[in-house]
């Protein structure tokens, strides 16, 4: 992000949007084959919203969808793409478990190696204080979300946010979120375990993973939904 900060707002926004949208089109286009149907994901409202917000949902969707598409042919590159997705930990947390269940060892190795390389690079570039500051800021960030719920809640299409909007208590929404996350995890592990070792996931298994990583997190916004739109299509 640092080079983008040197460009000024509008040029940085244009570069960021072109990179995100271009990656998303490449990932979705790879699924198109002879059908025009997958292109509906590019035209979906979630794509437009992500562009308006200037957020990273198109890039994260491109990383996940692209990795799933090339996993059989280029397992190491797929692992690198999934490792880059660790910049959104709440969308990344299930991926190592799914790779382990699917016995996709090369992709799992490349994913872990990429995460470690990113951590090492950040330590070289910014030092340990940046990590300590991030950890220290997490509780304050959570308090900010709570304090500004009236303006932020409608932008969070998650299980927890929906229950909270319906008036559920903290205990109820916590239990519901954990139950759904547990059920989704079991389903995804079963789906990927049944697949052929080192093979690319089927289109339906990939779609299930795209939806599953979104359902398991209590924290996601509308601009994180392009992967869900692509899965639905």
């Amino acid at each position: 992000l640092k080079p983008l900060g040197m460009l000024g707002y509008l040029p940085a926004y244009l570069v960021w949007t072109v990179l995100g949208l271009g990656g998303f089109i490449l990932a979705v286009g790879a699924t198109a084959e002879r059908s025009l149907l997958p292109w509906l994901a590019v035209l979906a409202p979630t794509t437009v919203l992500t562009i308006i917000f200037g957020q990273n949902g198109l890039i994260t969707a491109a990383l996940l969808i692209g990795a799933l598409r090339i996993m059989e042919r280029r397992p190491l590159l797929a692992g690198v793409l999934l490792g880059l997705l660790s910049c959104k930990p709440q969308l990344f947390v299930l991926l190592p478990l799914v790779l382990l269940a699917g016995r996709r060892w090369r992709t799992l190795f490349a994913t872990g190696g990429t995460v470690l390389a990113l951590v090492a690079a950040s330590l070289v570039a910014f030092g340990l204080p940046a990590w300590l500051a991030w950890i220290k800021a997490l509780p304050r960030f959570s308090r900010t979300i709570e304090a500004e719920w009236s303006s932020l809640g409608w932008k969070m299409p998650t299980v927890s946010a929906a229950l909270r909007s319906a008036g559920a208590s903290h205990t109820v929404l916590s239990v519901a979120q954990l139950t759904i996350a547990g059920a989704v995890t079991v389903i995804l592990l079963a789906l990927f375990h049944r697949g052929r070792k080192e093979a690319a996931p089927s289109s339906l298994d990939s779609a299930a993973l795209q939806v599953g990583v979104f359902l398991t997190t209590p924290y996601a916004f509308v601009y994180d939904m392009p992967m869900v739109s692509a899965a639905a299509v």
Side-chain angles (χ1 to χ4, degrees), residues 156-192:
M156 297 180 67
T158 63
V159 173
S160 293
L163 289 172
R164 178 167 178 174
S165 298
S169 68
H170 180 74
T171 300
V172 170
L173 66 86
S174 296
V175 171
Q177 182 68 68
L178 288 172
T179 302
I180 290 175
V184 167
T185 301
V186 170
I187 291 170
L188 290 176
L189 294 181
L191 286 176
F192 278 77

Side-chain angles (χ1 to χ4, degrees), residues 150-231:
S150 60
S151 62
L152 293 176
W154 69 272
K155 301 174 186 176
M156 297 180 67
T158 63
V159 173
S160 293
L163 289 172
R164 178 167 178 174
S165 298
S169 68
H170 180 74
T171 300
V172 170
L173 66 86
S174 296
V175 171
Q177 182 68 68
L178 288 172
T179 302
I180 290 175
V184 167
T185 301
V186 170
I187 291 170
L188 290 176
L189 294 181
L191 286 176
F192 278 77
H193 181 71
R194 76 178 185 186
R196 184 164 55 87
K197 181 180 178 182
E198 298 286 3
S202 71
S203 58
L204 286 178
D205 288 354
S206 297
L209 180 58
Q210 290 161 226
V211 174
V213 296
F214 196 89
L215 283 175
T216 54
T217 176
Y219 175 72
F221 284 91
V222 291
Y223 53 71
D224 293 315
M225 289 192 71
M227 65 175 63
V228 179
S229 298

Side-chain angles (χ1 to χ4, degrees), residues 65 76 90 93 96 99 104 130 136 144 153 156 166 173 183 211-212 231:
I65 298 169
L76 296 180
Q90 69 271 34
V93 64
L99 294 175
R104 292 169 169 83
K136 185 179 179 181
T144 300
M156 297 180 67
L173 66 86
V211 174

Side-chain angles (χ1 to χ4, degrees), residues 60-198:
T60 54
L63 291 173
L64 180 56
I65 298 169
L68 293 171
R69 294 297 300 177
I70 67 172
M71 192 173 290
E72 182 175 20
R73 293 179 289 109
R74 304 190 69 178
L76 296 180
L77 179 57
V80 171
L81 296 181
L82 293 179
L84 293 174
L85 190 55
S86 63
C87 68
K88 297 278 283 193
Q90 69 271 34
L91 301 179
F92 173 81
V93 64
L94 279 182
L95 300 182
L97 297 177
V98 168
L99 294 175
L100 186 62
R103 306 176 301 284
R104 292 169 169 83
W105 309 121
R106 288 180 291 176
T107 301
L108 180 62
F109 174 80
T111 300
T114 300
V115 172
L116 292 176
L118 290 173
V119 171
S122 72
L123 289 172
V124 171
F126 306 111
L128 183 61
W131 278 92
L132 298 177
W134 176 69
I135 294 171
K136 185 179 179 181
L138 287 177
R140 185 169 67 251
F141 180 75
S142 297
R143 290 193 297 269
T144 300
I145 294 292
E146 290 293 322
E148 300 184 11
W149 179 258
S150 60
S151 62
L152 293 176
W154 69 272
K155 301 174 186 176
M156 297 180 67
T158 63
V159 173
S160 293
L163 289 172
R164 178 167 178 174
S165 298
S169 68
H170 180 74
T171 300
V172 170
L173 66 86
S174 296
V175 171
Q177 182 68 68
L178 288 172
T179 302
I180 290 175
V184 167
T185 301
V186 170
I187 291 170
L188 290 176
L189 294 181
L191 286 176
F192 278 77
H193 181 71
R194 76 178 185 186
R196 184 164 55 87
K197 181 180 178 182
E198 298 286 3

Side-chain angles (χ1 to χ4, degrees), residues 7-26:
L7 297 179
Y9 177 77
L10 186 57
Y13 172 81
L14 293 174
V15 170
W16 180 252
T17 300
V18 168
L19 288 174
L21 186 59
F24 188 59
I25 289 174
L26 284 174

